[in-house]
Amino acid sequence: MYQLPQLEHTRTLNAIAVLTSGGDSPGMNPAIRGIVRAAINQGIKVFGVNRGYSGLIIGDMVELAASDVTNIIQRGGTLLKSDRCDAFRDPVVRNQAAEILRKNGIDGLVVIGGDGSLSGAHLLTQESGIPVVGLPGTIDNDIYGTDDTIGFDTAVNTALEGIDKIRDTAVSHERLFLVEVMGRNSGHIATQVGIACGAEMIVVPETEFKLEALCFSLANNRHEGKGSSGIIVVAEGPRPGLTYRLAQQLEEQGESPGVCILGHIQRGGTPTGRDRVLASCLATSAIEYLKAGYSDIMVGISESRICTVPLRDVMERTKPVNEQLLDMAMLLHK
Ligand code: F6P
């Protein structure tokens, strides 16, 4: 499935640490398992850091054995727990974290998380010189430089399971439903889910739209019998409340839309086979890159090949939604 890197090993590693940070995503557990097993089987000790950077800055870590990651490949969430750690924005706090890593004899760190977590990883390695490799772990799939992130596929499938059920009611009652999916500032989940459920419309934060015009065209479609699926997929966007505002506008056009906010169910559950394989390949490759002397990189996927992306780019650049796919979704639904 994925082409793994074949690298010359130039760095000797005695011990590494691994942490999961930011919003959890299904597939973090297979990634932890991959890091632990790939490292231990090559003679490298692994310390699991609890609660992301919050645990790192107080030295909350334990050495893991290969058996500690038994029976987690199929589990959602993260064995190591996760946290959003605002304190890690402070260089003094990052310096404390580096000291803790040095004191424990740790000569490499793997960070599994989203863009905020990977930005922290970049700053830590820049300031301390400790080798750090990141893995893209977020349901949002909004990380620059990688086609896929760990957890995205599961989140999309979880959303689809819910939407397929909602559609039964939408069809039975010939009623419109607005279904809100996660993704914060990005519409990657909404785009994928919208295509896969045959949505009547997909609303993403990357595309400007006028609320009234959008609702008018929806209501119009329905009058002309064009709106067959009854499902509108709305990306949550940066400010809460968009889906309810849309519903209100639609009510003013004479519709009585149902609203369903899928919320955190998209973050949980058994990772799909695709996410498990992705996580395992990225984790194994992360150990390869560390052993080959790399640092300050994220390991990702580009055109089915494992790739590396400088963490600075991950921090500074964004990944646009695929507008062609959004156009295709509209073409196919009519
Ligand atoms: O980044 C993952 C994500 O699930 C986003 O899609 C969502 O906006 C956010 O996290 C929710 O965060 P929290 O669980 O902290 O409310």
Side-chain angles (χ1 to χ4, degrees):
M1 189 180 183
Y2 299 119
Q3 191 88 32
L4 298 178
Q6 306 262 310
L7 303 166
E8 200 188 325
H9 296 158
T10 55
R11 182 187 278 142
T12 307
L13 292 168
N14 294 312
I16 62 163
V18 57
L19 61 83
T20 48
S21 168
D24 65 341
S25 70
M28 281 183 163
N29 273 331
I32 295 166
R33 173 183 178 270
I35 295 292
V36 170
R37 296 265 167 92
I40 289 179
N41 289 330
Q42 296 183 71
I44 305 164
K45 286 186 195 167
V46 183
F47 288 84
V49 180
N50 291 312
R51 297 180 186 79
Y53 293 124
S54 301
L56 183 61
I57 62 184
I58 57 165
D60 182 5
M61 59 178 90
V62 282
E63 190 178 340
L64 298 171
S67 57
D68 288 327
V69 292
T70 296
N71 203 19
I72 65 166
I73 197 166
Q74 81 286 10
R75 291 208 202 135
T78 157
L79 171 80
L80 294 174
K81 307 205 181 301
S82 193
D83 196 13
R84 299 189 192 277
C85 178
D86 281 340
F88 207 68
R89 293 176 198 277
D90 181 346
V92 176
V93 173
R94 290 196 294 272
N95 187 41
Q96 278 168 23
E99 280 307 311
I100 286 169
L101 288 169
R102 286 193 198 99
K103 206 177 78 200
N104 284 281
I106 290 163
D107 33 38
L109 173 68
V110 179
V111 173
I112 307 166
D115 52 357
S117 307
L118 298 179
S119 300
H122 168 64
L123 297 172
L124 177 68
T125 185
Q126 281 288 313
E127 292 160 0
S128 67
I130 295 172
V132 178
V133 168
L135 296 187
T138 167
I139 62 165
D140 297 345
N141 202 18
D142 60 345
I143 298 187
Y144 172 81
T146 184
D147 293 343
D148 270 315
T149 58
I150 297 166
F152 175 63
D153 186 58
T154 308
V156 166
N157 282 293
T158 301
L160 286 172
E161 255 180 60
I163 292 176
D164 290 347
K165 291 185 174 119
I166 292 168
R167 190 200 274 258
D168 289 346
T169 301
V171 171
S172 305
H173 288 262
E174 297 175 280
R175 187 178 176 199
L176 207 52
F177 274 83
L178 300 173
V179 184
E180 183 180 294
V181 295
M182 276 189 165
R184 211 187 296 258
N185 299 325
S186 69
H188 296 282
I189 297 180
T191 304
Q192 197 92 355
V193 166
I195 292 169
C197 78
E200 223 169 294
M201 189 169 278
I202 305 171
V203 182
V204 296
E206 291 89 341
T207 308
E208 269 188 44
F209 63 88
K210 291 233 167 22
L211 209 60
E212 299 93 88
L214 185 140
C215 293
F216 180 76
S217 106
L218 259 174
N220 216 28
N221 274 355
R222 290 181 77 74
H223 290 317
E224 289 174 12
K226 287 192 203 151
S228 52
S229 87
I231 302 290
I232 301 167
V233 174
V234 185
E236 60 180 354
R239 280 191 309 129
L242 170 66
T243 310
Y244 285 106
R245 290 200 297 283
L246 274 168
Q248 202 182 346
Q249 285 281 335
L250 283 164
E251 274 170 19
E252 285 163 21
Q253 309 274 346
E255 295 289 329
S256 53
V259 171
C260 179
I261 313 285
L262 291 178
H264 284 82
I265 63 159
Q266 294 158 98
R267 285 245 294 268
T270 300
T272 58
R274 190 183 162 109
D275 269 328
R276 297 184 208 189
V277 172
L278 175 67
S280 302
C281 292
L282 293 181
T284 309
S285 305
I287 301 301
E288 275 296 294
Y289 282 110
L290 273 173
K291 289 191 74 174
Y294 286 70
S295 177
D296 206 6
I297 53 156
M298 177 190 77
V299 182
I301 285 291
S302 176
E303 293 174 355
S304 289
R305 300 183 84 87
I306 300 289
C307 67
T308 63
V309 188
L311 283 175
R312 174 177 288 281
D313 289 352
V314 172
M315 185 167 95
E316 291 176 352
R317 304 178 71 168
T318 53
K319 176 168 154 186
V321 279
N322 186 331
E323 305 238 349
Q324 266 186 323
L325 290 184
L326 287 168
D327 291 345
M328 182 194 81
M330 291 307 94
L331 180 77
L332 297 186
H333 129 268
K334 281 177 212 147

